[in-house]
Every structure is written in C-alpha cells, then in structure tokens.
C-alpha cells in the first residue's frame, strides 16, 4: 500500500492540508485516511474523527460509531452505511433504497422496522400495499389511546374505531358501489344476529335468522286509501267481485300468489291494499245494513197491514 502526503503540516497535534489550487488524491490501490491512531477516543479534548468541508461549510463528519451529513446527501451509485448515520439535511434517493434493519423518525432507537414518534406520515396519490394482512395496531404502549381515527381534509374526525366499535360522526354514511354484506358469527358460535341500539345502548331492534324484531315499523308512503270514500271512486258490485274471485282466485286490485312468491311482498303496497279492501268492505256493509233496514221497515208495514185486516 502506498502512502500519499500532500502539504501536511503538524500544528498543535492537528493535521491540516491547505492549498489554493485543486488537488486530486488518487492511487491504483486503496487510499486510507486514519484518525485517532493513538486510540485516545477524544481524551485530549479534540474531535476524534474525520471532517469534510467545502466553502467553509461542513459536509460530513465521520466517527467510529456514526456518520453525520450536514448537507443534502446525494449518491448516484449504491451507498452502503454499515453503522448509524445521522443526516441533518435532506436525504435525496432517486433510485432504490434498501434498509436492512430499522428506520426511526423522531427517534434514534426505533423499536420496529419503521418507527415514527410525534411525526405525520403523508401519502399524496399513492397506496399502502401488502402481499399479506395489513394490521393497524394502535396503543402498543397500553396507555389507553387504542383508537384508529379517520379525518377529513380539515382534520375533523369523521369516524373512529375503538375497542372493536366503529363510530361515525356528524351524520356520515356507509356507502358501497356494489353489494354490502354484513356477516355476523362467522365462527358459528350461535351469536348470529345484528343488533341496533340507541344512544343509551338500549337495543331498539335485532336481525337474526332473517327475522327483524322491533317495536314498530314506520313506512314512508305517497298515498293512502281514503280515496275509497270519494264520490268518484267506483267500487265493483259484490256480484262482480264474486265472479272475479271465482275466476282469478284473489281479490280485485290485489297481487296474486304467483306474483308475490316470484317478486316478494311489498309491505307498504300490501298494507295500502289491505286498508283499501277494509274500507271497501265497510262501504259494502253499510249498503247491506241500509238495505236490511229498508226491508225490515217494509216487512213491519206488511205485518201491520195483515194484522189490521185480521
């Protein structure tokens, strides 16, 4: 190995190289620059390492334990750092970067592969991707803040997941461009139901085995059969109703069994039709009552006439 010396001057134990012109150090073999050859490790009050300057500004300083970069670190080729590196400026990586151990932001002692303390992570127009499961694991220090919070562009919380509970805030909506499936009890433990609760955690309704259990149902409708009592409403005479039932096996203006089985039962429509038939039946009953009363009066008059003749 060759030793190259260019204008080296010893001043108070500090080696310096000063020149006004450009100098190039080159060799066909390795070039070694050694510091702290007496292994004092800073015992003499001096910095034990190698420092690089340009135009009066410090670029790098190297020590046995770490590398410190004071200006943006740019490497056009592969750069390998086998010890701790502290970069106090920007780190510009235009190609691929491989970190075989851990990266810390806001911490010099990362506990996992990518450890961030009191810093934000922002992705603009990109994706978080994984070949396997993606796990969000909040509150690993067990302080009680085990919350995953979802925020909008003004940093207002829209929703949060806490203790397995998804809470939507501000009247937000769950939407899907396709099918939306809720599948409880995939472990077949027997708790195969969906429960709907109010603000005081009281159950308002329950969906289980295809049955919805609740206290009341309120449907939005656009009409109701009071039109039956209008003078313009034309009721089918009872004899015509009898002929219709005999022929089609269902009431007029009601869906047939075949239609309901094929298409399902529209609860709102069926209830409106049932009320319509009840109101029609009421009118039929009133008409029959009026006819019975008229016949009763006529019968009474005839009986009176017969009794008078006798």
């Amino acid at each position: 190995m060759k030793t190259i010396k260019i204008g080296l001057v010893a001043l108070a134990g500090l080696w310096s190289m000063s020149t006004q012109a450009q100098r190039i150090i080159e060799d066909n073999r390795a070039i070694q620059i050694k510091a702290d050859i007496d292994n004092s490790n800073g015992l003499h009050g001096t910095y034990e390492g190698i420092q690089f300057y340009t135009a009066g500004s410090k670029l790098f300083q190297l020590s046995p334990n770490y590398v410190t970069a004071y200006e943006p670190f740019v490497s056009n080729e592969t750069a390998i750092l086998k010890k701790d590196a502290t970069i106090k400026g920007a780190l510009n990586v235009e190609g691929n970067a491989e970190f075989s151990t851990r990266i810390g932001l806001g911490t010099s002692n990362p506990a996992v592969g990518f450890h961030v303390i009191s810093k934000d992570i922002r992705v603009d127009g990109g994706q978080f991707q994984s070949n396997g499961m993606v796990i969000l694991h909040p509150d690993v220090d067990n302080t009680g803040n085990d919350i995953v919070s979802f925020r909008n562009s003004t940093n207002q919380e829209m929703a949060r997941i806490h203790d397995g509970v998804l809470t939507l805030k501000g009247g937000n909506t769950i939407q899907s461009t396709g099918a939306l499936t809720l599948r409880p009890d995939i472990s077949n433990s027997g708790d195969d139901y969906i429960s709907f609760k109010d603000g005081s955690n009281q159950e308002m309704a329950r969906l289980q085995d295809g049955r919805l259990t609740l206290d009341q149902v309120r449907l939005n409708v656009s009409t109701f059969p009071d039109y039956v009592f209008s003078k313009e409403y034309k009721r089918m005479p009872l004899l015509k109703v009898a002929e219709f039932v005999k022929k089609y096996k269902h009431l007029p203006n009601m869906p047939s069994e075949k239609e309901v089985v094929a298409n399902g039962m529209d609860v709102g429509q069926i209830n409106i039709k049932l009320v319509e038939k009840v109101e029609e039946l009421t009118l039929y009953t009133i008409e029959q009552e009026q006819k019975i009363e008229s016949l009763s009066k006529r019968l009474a008059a005839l009986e009176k006439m017969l009794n008078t003749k006798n």
Side-chain angles (χ1 to χ4, degrees):
M1 180 180 65
K2 297 181 180 180
T3 301
I4 300 176
K5 299 180 180 179
I6 301 178
L8 297 179
V9 181
L11 294 175
L14 178 64
W15 290 97
S16 66
M17 181 173 66
S18 177
T19 179
Q20 299 297 321
Q22 178 178 343
R23 292 292 184 268
I24 298 174
I25 302 175
E26 60 183 9
D27 199 297
N28 291 329
R29 301 292 183 268
I31 298 175
Q32 295 183 356
I33 301 176
K34 295 184 179 182
D36 191 26
I37 59 176
D38 59 354
N39 294 319
S40 62
N41 198 22
L43 295 178
H44 303 297
T46 59
Y47 171 77
E48 303 296 352
I50 300 173
Q51 300 178 356
F52 296 85
Y53 285 80
T54 182
S57 297
K58 185 185 291 186
L59 299 178
F60 284 92
Q61 65 181 29
L62 311 177
S63 77
N65 297 320
Y66 59 87
V67 177
T68 302
Y70 290 91
E71 295 295 333
F73 179 74
V74 180
S75 175
N76 294 326
E77 301 294 339
T78 301
I80 300 176
L81 303 176
K82 292 189 175 181
K83 292 198 174 183
D84 295 343
T86 301
I87 300 175
K88 296 186 177 180
L91 174 63
N92 183 11
V93 180
E94 295 183 356
N96 296 327
E98 180 179 347
F99 301 89
S100 60
T101 53
R102 299 172 180 174
I103 302 173
L105 296 181
T107 175
S108 59
N109 186 28
V112 293
F114 187 50
H115 192 171
V116 180
I117 295 182
S118 300
K119 302 289 183 180
D120 294 333
I121 300 176
R122 176 171 171 172
V123 178
D124 291 339
Q127 299 179 3
F128 285 102
Q129 295 183 346
S130 173
N131 289 330
M133 184 182 299
V134 176
I135 299 176
L136 300 179
H137 186 184
D139 195 31
V140 294
D141 55 356
N142 293 317
T143 59
N145 296 320
D146 52 338
I147 298 170
V148 178
S149 180
F150 301 88
R151 306 291 179 101
N152 59 16
S153 58
T154 59
N155 202 32
Q156 299 296 312
E157 188 173 67
M158 301 180 296
R160 65 166 50 187
I161 299 176
H162 185 205
D163 290 338
V165 178
L166 173 62
T167 302
L168 302 180
K169 296 191 175 183
N172 290 307
T173 305
I174 297 177
Q175 294 181 330
S176 174
T177 57
L180 179 62
T181 302
L182 300 178
R183 186 184 172 191
D185 193 31
I186 59 175
S187 61
N188 294 318
S189 63
D191 296 325
D192 53 340
Y193 64 87
I194 299 174
S195 181
F196 302 87
K197 298 190 176 183
D198 60 17
S200 59
N201 203 34
Q202 298 298 311
E203 188 173 68
M204 301 181 296
R206 172 178 293 204
L207 180 61
Q208 185 173 19
D209 294 335
R211 296 190 301 270
L212 179 63
T213 304
L214 67 168
D215 294 333
Q216 57 180 308
V217 177
R218 179 171 294 183
L219 302 177
N220 295 322
V221 296
S222 59
T223 185
F224 204 67
D226 286 352
Y227 51 78
V228 172
F229 301 119
S230 171
K231 293 182 179 180
E232 289 77 20
Y233 184 74
K234 303 298 182 181
R235 283 182 293 116
M236 185 181 294
L238 279 176
L239 292 178
K240 293 290 185 181
V241 172
E243 292 176 1
F244 186 96
V245 171
K246 184 178 180 180
K247 182 177 180 180
Y248 296 104
K249 302 298 187 292
H250 64 85
L251 289 174
N253 205 23
M254 288 286 285
S256 67
E257 177 186 12
K258 184 178 180 180
E259 292 173 329
V260 174
V261 171
N263 303 321
M265 180 187 295
D266 185 330
V267 177
Q269 179 199 35
I270 290 297
N271 275 276
I272 289 174
K273 294 302 180 183
L274 288 175
V275 173
E276 177 185 286
K277 297 309 169 187
V278 169
E279 293 184 351
E280 287 181 347
L281 181 59
T282 300
L283 292 179
Y284 287 130
T285 304
I286 291 173
E287 286 182 352
Q288 288 180 338
E289 181 66 22
Q290 290 173 343
K291 290 179 179 179
I292 291 172
E293 184 177 355
S294 177
L295 290 173
S296 296
K297 289 181 179 180
R298 291 177 62 185
L299 179 59
L302 290 173
E303 289 178 348
K304 185 176 181 181
M305 289 175 59
L306 291 173
N307 291 334
T308 302
K309 289 182 180 180
N310 294 333

